[in-house]
Amino acid sequence: MRRISDTDIVVTSDDRIPASIQPEARPKARRVNPDARKAGEAKPARPKRRMRLPKFAFTPLQKMAAGGVAITALVVGGAVVWHSGIIQRTTQTAIAAVMQATADAGFRLTDITVAGRGRTGMDQVAIALGARHGDPILGVSLAQVKDRLEAIASVKAAAVERHLPGALHITLTERQPIAVWQNNGGHILVDKDGHQIPGSVAGFEHLPLVVGDGAGPRADEVLTMLSAEPDMAARVKAIVRVGNRRWNLMLDDVKDGLEVRLPEENADAAWKRFAELERTQSFAGRNVRMVDLRTSDRLILKTERPPAPAGDAPKRKDNGA
């Protein structure tokens, strides 16, 4: 058998190895002439080797944990900085500088006017304002001043207006008393919402007197009921809350007048019933001291005991002592 020689191998275009998978040709080493090297020719630079960094393969859970640690660190760090007060002090200092600059430019509090003030003291208004003449007017918070004014017991509503460059106007709506509340030995004014109005009751003696525990907060309720009979309501001098459940009325006089006892339920109907009976029967003119309306199907009256004649006065026996 004949051996295969090199001449028997035929390489066609289909059999050639593609250039994409051919091994890279190594650069030929450059020969350096020893004589040139001696003459000071620089040596060829060797290629630098890059340092390979280690690659870490993290699982999704590990990545989430790492992200959580980073976020926690940011939050904790921010909280520490915040609680240290650095940010607040820096901000306050910057704001104070700006406000002072506006004051130097002429926006300074020079005029303060108050309207609608009756029972509210000027010292209370000044404390609520929290600013003095000469302070930067742009540094006054109108919302905060309004809240502080409405926190005063005698003030129901307040409006604060700023008129540049230096005027501040305050309008107060004070609580209007509707009754004098006698409780625990003292007297205090109350408005229709049941709010107590501190101060003297002098000048308001003409208002109805409500007496007893729970009477003050419910004064408007009973006065509204009485207003259904205005002529009769004008005779009511005192309204007594009994057991914080029902009302007794004193007509004509606080102590010696006609007492009307209203029921716990349907007090308004009982009041109208009494007004009609008083117009036709005139209990006060018949020496009636008390009218009990707590039972709807009957009327209980208590009359004043007439004084005994002088001749019928009991005689003291003389035992010769």
Side-chain angles (χ1 to χ4, degrees), residues 84-311:
S84 67
I86 297 176
I87 297 177
Q88 294 90 327
R89 289 194 296 270
T90 303
T91 303
Q92 292 173 358
T93 302
I95 293 175
V98 172
M99 291 298 103
Q100 186 59 44
T102 62
D104 294 340
F107 296 95
R108 190 183 298 274
L109 189 58
T110 57
D111 189 20
I112 303 173
T113 57
V114 181
R117 187 183 69 86
R119 299 179 58 85
T120 307
M122 276 304 299
D123 55 339
Q124 294 176 296
V125 176
I127 293 174
L129 180 59
R132 298 174 297 178
H133 286 78
D135 289 348
I137 191 172
L138 296 179
V140 178
S141 173
L142 303 186
Q144 292 180 3
V145 173
K146 172 182 170 66
D147 291 341
R148 290 194 292 264
L149 287 171
E150 292 180 350
I152 301 174
S154 59
V155 177
K156 183 176 182 179
V160 186
E161 299 176 355
R162 178 164 36 213
H163 301 285
L164 297 179
L168 201 66
H169 182 67
I170 298 173
T171 303
L172 301 179
T173 302
E174 295 186 327
R175 298 187 180 277
Q176 298 301 318
I178 61 171
V180 179
W181 182 18
Q182 177 181 322
N183 192 37
N184 296 326
H187 295 79
I188 191 168
L189 298 172
V190 293
D191 71 349
K192 63 179 301 181
D193 297 323
H195 290 278
Q196 302 180 27
I197 305 174
S200 174
V201 299
F204 295 94
E205 293 85 358
H206 62 283
L207 294 177
L209 178 68
V210 293
V211 183
D213 186 25
R218 306 190 66 172
D220 183 62
E221 172 189 323
V222 67
L223 292 177
T224 301
M225 180 193 71
L226 297 180
S227 65
E229 297 288 343
D231 293 338
M232 201 64 60
R235 294 174 54 186
V236 176
K237 302 304 180 182
I239 309 168
V240 182
R241 186 72 174 168
V242 181
N244 204 9
R245 295 181 297 106
R246 63 175 194 85
W247 300 97
N248 285 349
L249 310 176
M250 297 298 298
L251 276 65
D252 303 325
D253 189 83
V254 173
K255 294 182 179 180
D256 299 326
L258 175 62
E259 180 183 2
V260 181
R261 298 181 180 180
L262 299 178
E264 184 176 353
E265 301 292 338
N266 299 320
D268 52 346
W271 168 244
K272 292 180 180 179
R273 178 188 174 197
F274 166 77
E276 182 63 27
L277 290 172
E278 174 63 11
R279 280 191 287 266
T280 59
Q281 303 294 329
S282 183
F283 296 118
R286 298 169 59 182
N287 292 326
V288 176
R289 296 296 306 273
M290 187 271 293
V291 179
D292 193 340
L293 300 168
R294 289 179 292 175
T295 304
S296 60
D297 57 350
R298 60 179 178 173
L299 184 67
I300 301 175
L301 303 178
K302 181 180 179 180
T303 60
E304 183 179 10
R305 180 179 297 176

Side-chain angles (χ1 to χ4, degrees), residues 41-53:
E41 183 178 350
K43 296 182 180 180
R46 294 182 180 180
K48 296 182 178 179
R49 295 182 180 180
R50 295 182 179 178
M51 182 180 296
R52 294 185 179 180
L53 298 176

